[in-house]
Structure formats: C-alpha cells, structure tokens
C-alpha cells in the first residue's frame, strides 16, 4: 500500500492509533497505583464505578483504574468508533465485514420493529418462528407430541456444538429449578463416541426425541452424532415412517436438513445474521424452551432486551458493557494481563465460563484489525474459570500469589428474601471474601511464603436472583462487552476464520487414519506423520 494513497478510513485509523498511543502511555505510568489508595483519595469512586443494568449490579471499583484515567479511555472509545459501531449494529448494517453480514442478534429479542439495513423489518419472521417454537415445545411438554409408538417424550437429546450448544446447555443447567420435572435434556456435542455412550445410558428410543441444531448443517461433529442417533432409533425399532416424530431441526439450511430426512413441520429456522455464539435467543434456544417453557423463554429475552436498551442509550460512563470492555482494555495495557477469569458463585452457572470462552475468544481472538493489518496491541484475552467455591481449592493460590495478574469477574447471585441458609451465607461470604483478599493481600507475616501482594483487580457482578430474566441480562451484558471491546480494538468480533483451519486439517488426517493404504503427504510435519503412522499400525 503506497503511503501517499489516501484510503477511505485513513482518518479513522489515524485517530485510533493516536488515541491508543495516548492510552498506552497513560496506562504505562498509572497502572502501578494502589486500589486501596484510590478508595481513600476518591470518595466518589464506589458510586462512579457501580453500575446498574436491569437485574444486574456491576461493581468495577476494585479495578486498578484511577477515575482520572476514565477521560482517556472514553476518548479512545470515541476515536475507535465505539458509538458508531453500536449504532451500526442496532441498524442491522453489515458490521461483520469479512462475511458480509449483519450481527443483528438484538433483533431476536426486540419488542419494536428492527430493520435490517437494505432490507425490511425482520421482527415478523422472528415472531413467527418463536410462535412455532412455542406451539411445538408446548406439545412436547404436555405430552401431545408423542413418539412413533405413541409414548410420551421423556428425554431430549440436543445435538449441536459450539454456539449451537453452549448457550442452551448453560441455560438449561442454570434454570434447572424452573424446568419441566418429567423431561430430561441431554447435550451431545463431542464427536467422541464416549460422549454418546454416556448420553444414551437409560434412554428408551420410543420416548426419546433429538433436536439437531446446526446453523450450517455441515459441522462434522453434529452431522456424525445426528447420524448415530438416527441409526440408534432405527435399530431400536422406530419405523422410518415414524422417525420424524423423534426429530426436530434448527438451522439456516433447511435444504440440507430436509435431505437428512427431517420433516418441514419440525424444522425451525433463523437468519444468517445470527452468529453462532450470539444465537441462544433464536431457534437455537429450542431445547431450552422445551425445558423451561415458552413464557420463561420470553423472560430470558426480556432480560436481554433490558440490557440492549441500556447499552443503546446509556452514556458511556454509566454503560455497563462499555465499561467492562474499557476495564478489559485498561488491564491489558496497564497491567499486561492476558487472561480474565470468570468465577460464578452459583453451581447452576457452572457452564458460564465455557460459554463466555466461546463468546469472547472466538469473537476477539484476532491478530489483524478490521482492515487486515497486523495489530501491535493485545487482543483476545484467554477467558477461563470454574465455579466458586471449588476453584478456591484449585487455582486461586496462583491468583493470590502467582507472578502474573489475572483479573477476575466474580458473579454472585443475591439470595431470596428471608433468612439465609448457612450454606447460602457461606457461599456468598466466600465470593465477597476472595475479592477482598485479592484486593488487600496479606502483609502481616515476616515469612515471604505467607505474604500475598494484594492490589489485584476484580469486578463483582451481582444478579438480583437466578431467573430467566437475570440470566438473559447477564449474557447480553457479556455479548455487548465483547462487541464493544472489538470496536475499541478495531477488530471484527463477528467472524471466526481461525476455526476453519483445524476443520480442514482434521479432514485430511481423518482420511489418512481411515485408509492406512493412503501414502502420507510429503508436506505433513514429522510429528504428525509419526503419530499417524503409529496410530495406523494399531
Ligand atoms: O466452531 C466454529 C463454529 O462455526 C462456531 O462458530 C459455531 O457456533 C459452531 O462452529 C457450530 O456451527 P454450526 O451451528 O454451523 O454447526
């Protein structure tokens, strides 16, 4: 690219680079401050950094971020086009530039018309699908939809992977308390035959129904598992003419699902502007709707909608997703953090870290900017975590005394009104205690082995209860944090080309393992060749 050529967007790029340089400089000099001293010198700190967002309360005050630095962060958000990105997303523009698609998941939970740029209002189609889901899931739940032999459905095998599984899986576990008591939902994602072996324990063909969810209907794991389950149903005596009573499908590729043998009446579609990891709100949520019922699913959408409204309208200093993104950016620049832990103090939220891993790492694990230029700033923090208090007895040692700073999001659930059980109180006390311990450290002992440095940043997110509404809000909060961070980093948060490489390579190796007579390609690396040969000898 010649230096003289003025490209559209050059001004934006220059503004971004300048504001990022300014932010980097501030972060380099101010990151070493003490959070306790900030509390002492900034009386308004707690109020300024506690944000209300629907059923969520978010406390960012324990971040190592002086209030005076917010101005530089806001200036960067402006220069990076955060506000414009947000507006373009809500306007249904093709912000996923490499796939030439909108990222319009907000339209899935909107109560007002939402116009896809260059197209019409998408909400009538969204509502129509929701209505079909409502009717079908009600029929399964109340026993009107039966298996081929006339038996009531007791078990649903939800087949899908990645974005077509993680959301419903998390939500089914999180909301198990309000699920149908006589329906069990099993998730089958992994292609490992052991996964199906474990799911099929105790299943009866006649009372089992499979929901196959795949946006593309081409994902190897999902098609393989669907084929296995179909063969199991046939072997179990379900006549081919009755198979349709044991399957439903969710996809953007109805043609492929019909070819697989599904019937049109149990096919549920969604649009290609719904990204896999943003798809829980679409027909991908069908297993969840079967579990908790359509009214509770509506509540989930309402919770997400409340955060959409907040995100769309709140000024940046009160905008919870934007502030989470800015904190993430600050930590990476000021403290050199490369990971973010998420610790739900709620056993039903045990799958939250896995869900957030895909959401954030598939979205922002990128090394080139929106123009394809290699970035020279940190992106794509590793997201990880486990539920508390379990995690306290495994990796928290490293959080307290390890050399690297790993910021933590503590996710707590407020207890119901009334007296708190002893165990419930201990759970909450532990969540609060860990955040305080990371902040204060332990400087009492003369023994260096016992001292904890403290001054380690964390965020606390408090849900008013664990309900469909608060869960919807929590997930939408992280969705918008992820997109906001993408805009602030000037990357495309909505594609995932890196995943394709592994799929291609696996196809080639799969063929070699399946047919030992095939010669090993000369361009295969020595390690892979040796392992393929060893496995073929077995
Ligand atoms: O792993 C890549 C990916 O494309 C994810 O983005 C997606 O959620 C998942 O695979 C499943 O894809 P599909 O829904 O098309 O089966």
């Amino acid at each position: 690219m010649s230096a003289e050529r003025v490209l559209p967007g050059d001004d934006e790029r220059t503004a971004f680079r300048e504001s990022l340089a300014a932010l980097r400089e501030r972060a380099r000099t101010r990151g070493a401050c003490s959070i306790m001293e900030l509390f002492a010198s900034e009386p308004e700190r707690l109020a300024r950094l506690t944000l209300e967002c629907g059923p969520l309360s978010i406390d960012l005050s324990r971040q190592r971020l002086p209030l005076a630095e917010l101005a530089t962060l806001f200036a960067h958000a402006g220069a990076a086009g955060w506000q414009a990105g947000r507006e373009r997303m809500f306007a249904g523009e093709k912000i996923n530039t490499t796939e030439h698609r909108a990222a319009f998941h907000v339209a899935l939970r909107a109560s007002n018309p939402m116009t896809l740029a260059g197209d019409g209002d998408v909400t009538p189609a969204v509502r129509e699908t929701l209505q079909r889901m409502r009717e079908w899931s009600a029929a399964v739940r109340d026993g009107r939809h039966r298996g081929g032999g006339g038996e009531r459905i007791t078990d649903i095998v939800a087949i899908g992977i990645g974005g077509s599984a993680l959301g419903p899986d998390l939500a089914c576990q999180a909301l198990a308390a309000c699920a149908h008591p006589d329906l069990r939902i099993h998730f089958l994602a992994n292609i490992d035959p052991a996964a199906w072996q474990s799911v099929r324990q105790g299943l009866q063909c006649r009372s089992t129904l499979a929901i196959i969810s795949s946006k593309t209907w081409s994902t190897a794991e999902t098609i393989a598992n669907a084929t296995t389950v179909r063969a199991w149903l046939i072997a179990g005596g379900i006549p081919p003419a009755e198979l349709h009573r044991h399957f439903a499908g969710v996809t953007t590729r109805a043609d492929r699902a019909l070819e697989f043998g599904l019937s049109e009446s149990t096919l549920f579609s969604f649009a290609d502007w719904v990204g896999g990891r943003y798809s829980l709100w679409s027909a991908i949520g069908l297993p969840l709707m079967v579990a908790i019922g359509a009214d509770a699913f509506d509540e989930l959408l309402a919770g997400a909608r409340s955060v959409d409204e907040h995100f769309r309208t709140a000024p940046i200093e009160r905008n919870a997703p934007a502030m989470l993104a800015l904190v993430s950016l600050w930590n990476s620049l000021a403290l050199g953090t490369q990971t973010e832990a998420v610790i739900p103090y709620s056993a039903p939220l045990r799958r939250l870290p896995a869900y957030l891993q895909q959401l954030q790492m598939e979205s922002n694990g990128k090394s080139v900017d929106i123009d394809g230029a290699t970035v020279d700033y940190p992106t794509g923090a590793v997201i990880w975590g486990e539920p508390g208090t379990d995690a306290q007895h495994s990796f928290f040692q490293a959080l307290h005394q390890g050399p690297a700073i790993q910021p933590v999001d503590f996710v707590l659930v407020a207890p119901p009104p009334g007296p708190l059980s002893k165990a419930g109180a201990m759970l909450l006390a532990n969540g609060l205690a860990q955040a305080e311990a990371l902040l204060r450290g332990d400087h009492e002992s003369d023994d260096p082995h016992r001292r904890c440095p403290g001054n380690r940043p964390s965020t606390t997110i408090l849900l008013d209860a664990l309900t469909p509404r608060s869960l919807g809000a929590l997930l939408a909060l992280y969705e918008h944090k992820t997109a906001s961070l993408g805009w602030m980093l000037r990357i495309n948060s909505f594609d995932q080309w890196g995943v394709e490489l592994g799929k291609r390579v696996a196809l080639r190796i799969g063929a070699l393992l399946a047919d030992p007579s095939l010669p090993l390609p000369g361009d295969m690396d020595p390690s892979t060749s040796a392992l393929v040969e060893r496995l073929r000898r077995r």
Side-chain angles (χ1 to χ4, degrees):
M1 185 192 308
S2 102
E4 302 85 64
R5 208 171 131 217
V6 178
L7 293 169
D10 265 4
D11 289 349
E12 286 90 339
R13 207 171 306 135
T14 305
F16 172 85
R17 297 209 73 79
E18 286 175 2
S19 73
L20 188 69
L23 182 57
R24 264 185 157 161
E25 185 52 25
R26 297 296 304 181
R28 197 179 59 76
T29 52
R30 297 293 283 128
C33 60
S34 148
I35 305 169
M36 287 305 286
E37 280 171 20
L38 293 177
F39 272 118
S41 62
E42 299 173 341
E44 74 283 29
R45 179 173 185 79
L46 185 61
R48 294 253 322 257
L49 293 178
T50 301
L51 308 171
E52 302 303 327
C53 180
L56 313 173
S57 170
I58 298 129
D59 178 358
L60 299 164
S61 66
R62 282 185 280 215
Q63 290 294 335
R64 208 193 285 182
L65 168 60
L67 290 178
E69 303 311 316
L70 287 173
T72 317
L73 282 166
F74 297 156
H76 174 70
W82 167 75
Q83 193 162 338
R86 183 180 61 165
E87 277 160 19
R88 293 183 65 211
M89 183 176 83
F90 278 95
E93 290 185 27
K94 292 186 176 165
I95 55 176
N96 178 356
T97 46
T98 63
E99 294 181 304
H100 315 291
R101 284 179 190 154
F104 209 26
H105 40 283
V106 287
L108 297 168
R109 54 232 188 180
S111 51
N112 296 323
M114 297 282 285
T115 304
L116 189 68
D119 212 330
D121 176 14
V122 299
T123 54
V126 167
R127 268 198 306 276
E128 190 193 315
T129 301
L130 278 172
Q131 183 56 28
R132 287 188 59 229
M133 289 165 64
R134 172 177 278 274
E135 283 161 16
W136 186 78
S137 61
V140 175
R141 286 167 62 81
D142 65 23
R144 279 176 292 130
H145 180 104
R146 291 185 175 239
E151 280 187 38
R152 200 176 167 131
I153 299 297
T154 57
D155 292 86
I156 309 278
V157 181
I159 304 171
I161 199 163
S164 294
L166 287 161
D169 190 3
L170 156 68
C172 280
Q173 295 200 37
L175 303 174
C178 58
H180 193 294
D182 302 321
L183 274 173
R184 290 173 293 276
I185 318 279
H186 314 265
F187 285 86
L188 179 59
N190 203 306
I191 200 168
D192 186 339
W196 166 238
Q197 292 302 336
S198 141
V199 164
R200 70 180 272 191
Q201 298 299 320
L203 296 187
Q204 304 297 328
C205 291
R206 287 163 171 269
S207 54
T208 298
L209 189 155
I211 301 178
I212 309 169
S213 302
S214 176
K215 178 174 176 179
T216 57
W217 208 273
S218 66
T219 303
E221 291 93 329
T222 300
I223 301 307
N225 279 328
T227 306
T228 301
V229 172
R230 184 175 56 188
W232 173 76
L233 287 167
I234 292 170
I238 307 294
E242 298 292 343
L243 265 184
H244 68 275
R245 304 202 60 79
H246 293 265
F247 276 112
V250 181
T251 188
T252 60
R253 292 300 305 261
D255 53 335
R256 293 179 180 168
L258 292 172
E259 205 175 302
F260 181 86
L262 264 67
S263 117
E264 212 145 346
S265 63
T266 50
L267 257 192
F268 300 87
S269 64
F270 59 104
D272 72 352
W273 43 256
V274 182
R277 52 195 175 274
Y278 299 87
S279 65
L280 169 65
W281 330 97
S282 71
I284 290 292
L286 188 61
L288 175 65
M289 191 187 276
V290 173
I292 64 173
D295 290 346
F297 193 85
D298 279 349
E299 281 291 295
L300 180 94
L301 299 182
R305 184 161 60 242
S306 71
V307 175
D308 293 343
E309 198 46 26
H310 165 93
F311 179 54
R312 204 174 58 78
T313 56
I316 192 161
E317 66 275 13
R318 305 304 300 162
N319 196 301
M323 289 294 286
L324 282 174
L326 287 171
V327 160
S328 189
L329 177 60
W330 175 261
N331 284 341
S332 68
L333 297 176
L335 310 177
T337 57
Q338 296 181 347
T339 86
E340 293 174 13
V342 183
I343 314 294
Y345 276 75
S346 161
L349 286 174
R350 70 181 74 82
R351 293 288 282 162
L352 182 65
Y355 174 84
L356 294 180
Q357 258 166 358
Q358 191 210 17
L359 174 61
Q360 301 185 74
M361 293 173 76
E362 200 165 88
S363 295
N364 290 341
K366 312 284 165 65
S367 303
V368 295
D369 70 11
I370 197 92
D371 302 312
T374 303
V375 302
D376 60 359
Y377 45 87
T379 64
V382 172
I383 309 295
W384 60 292
E386 282 286 326
T389 59
D390 312 52
Q392 292 172 205
H393 300 275
S394 58
F395 54 75
F396 265 63
Q397 160 62 31
L399 296 184
H400 289 292
Q401 287 189 314
I405 296 177
Q406 329 274 6
V408 181
D409 283 2
F410 289 96
V411 180
L412 309 185
V413 179
L420 200 53
S421 72
K422 204 168 162 198
M426 270 188 69
L427 177 69
L428 285 171
N430 272 279
L432 297 174
Q434 288 298 326
E436 188 179 4
L438 285 168
L439 168 64
R440 285 185 177 278
D442 185 352
H443 310 276
E444 302 279 292
S445 174
D446 292 335
D447 180 355
H449 295 286
R450 290 169 191 267
R451 284 199 295 269
C452 295
N455 205 25
R456 301 209 154 180
S458 69
T459 293
T460 303
I461 300 178
L462 180 63
L463 278 66
D464 65 358
L466 184 53
T467 59
R469 184 175 283 260
S470 67
L471 181 69
L474 181 69
L475 303 188
L477 172 78
Y478 275 107
E479 280 183 353
H480 295 322
K481 171 211 168 178
T482 304
S484 292
L485 187 55
W487 295 320
M488 291 165 188
L489 295 168
R490 214 162 177 278
I491 59 179
N492 180 0
S493 300
F494 302 105
D495 62 10
Q496 59 286 318
W497 295 104
V499 185
E500 299 307 316
L501 171 62
K503 292 183 190 172
R504 283 201 307 275
V505 180
L507 274 181
R508 178 163 98 149
I509 297 178
L512 294 169
L513 288 174
D515 182 356
S517 71
L518 286 177
L520 293 181
D523 63 346
M524 195 170 245
D525 73 86
S527 168
T528 309
S529 300
L531 284 164
V532 168
E533 264 181 2
R534 178 185 283 248
L535 290 167
R536 294 212 296 198
R537 277 201 301 273
R538 289 169 67 89

